[in-house]
Amino acid sequence: MVSQRHDVTLEWPDADRETRTIAVDEDETVLEAAERSGIALPFGCRTGACGTCTGRLLEADGAEPTAADDERTVDVDGAFSYRRSPRALKDRHRTAGYVLLCIASPRTDCRLAVGANVHTELVENPWK
């Protein structure tokens, strides 16, 4: 069986880096495809436990999320499959569009916000 590939566009909202689009096989993770393409993304455990690799879904298969009654219209669970349970994300994080790139494989073309600042959207600074 031949694996499908999907175009995944990576955007760094916290930096003046260019946007990059990579081809990701359905049987590889976004982090693996980024590394294969020479793109450095933050990561820690590679098992979905730490959340360092968190990205935020901006668009899937041409549909951008809209905030109607605080619910997103882009189906994150339909856009990605996980190799194992994404332990670092709570249900509310997944509903809000967050994805663990170290264990997530795309099921459609999509656009993601990536970088260290995306992870800090989930975790409050303990030093405040």
Side-chain angles (χ1 to χ4, degrees):
M1 181 173 157
V2 177
S3 173
Q4 277 196 300
R5 284 191 144 187
H6 299 285
D7 289 335
V8 176
T9 300
L10 306 173
E11 296 182 13
W12 288 260
D14 56 334
D16 290 334
R17 294 176 67 172
E18 65 183 73
T19 297
R20 300 278 307 267
T21 299
I22 57 175
V24 184
D25 292 333
E26 280 191 343
D27 62 351
E28 73 179 337
T29 68
V30 175
L31 179 62
E32 291 168 343
E35 290 176 329
R36 178 175 43 77
S37 301
I39 299 170
L41 295 177
F43 68 93
C45 67
R46 290 186 181 264
T47 64
C50 74
T52 302
C53 65
T54 301
R56 183 170 23 88
L57 184 63
L58 301 172
E59 179 182 340
D61 207 19
E64 293 185 30
T66 58
D69 299 326
D70 294 329
E71 291 188 27
R72 300 175 73 86
T73 57
V74 174
D75 179 14
V76 176
D77 292 331
F80 290 93
S81 64
Y82 281 110
R83 288 184 174 172
R84 58 182 59 88
S85 175
R87 293 179 291 161
L89 294 180
K90 297 180 180 194
D91 288 343
R92 63 184 161 88
H93 296 145
R94 292 177 68 179
T95 301
Y98 292 99
V99 180
L100 296 178
L101 304 180
C102 72
I103 59 171
S105 301
R107 293 289 172 245
T108 186
D109 294 348
C110 60
R111 189 167 56 94
L112 293 164
V114 297
N117 281 2
V118 176
H119 180 248
T120 61
E121 293 173 7
L122 299 179
V123 181
E124 291 184 34
N125 183 345
W127 308 110
K128 283 185 179 179

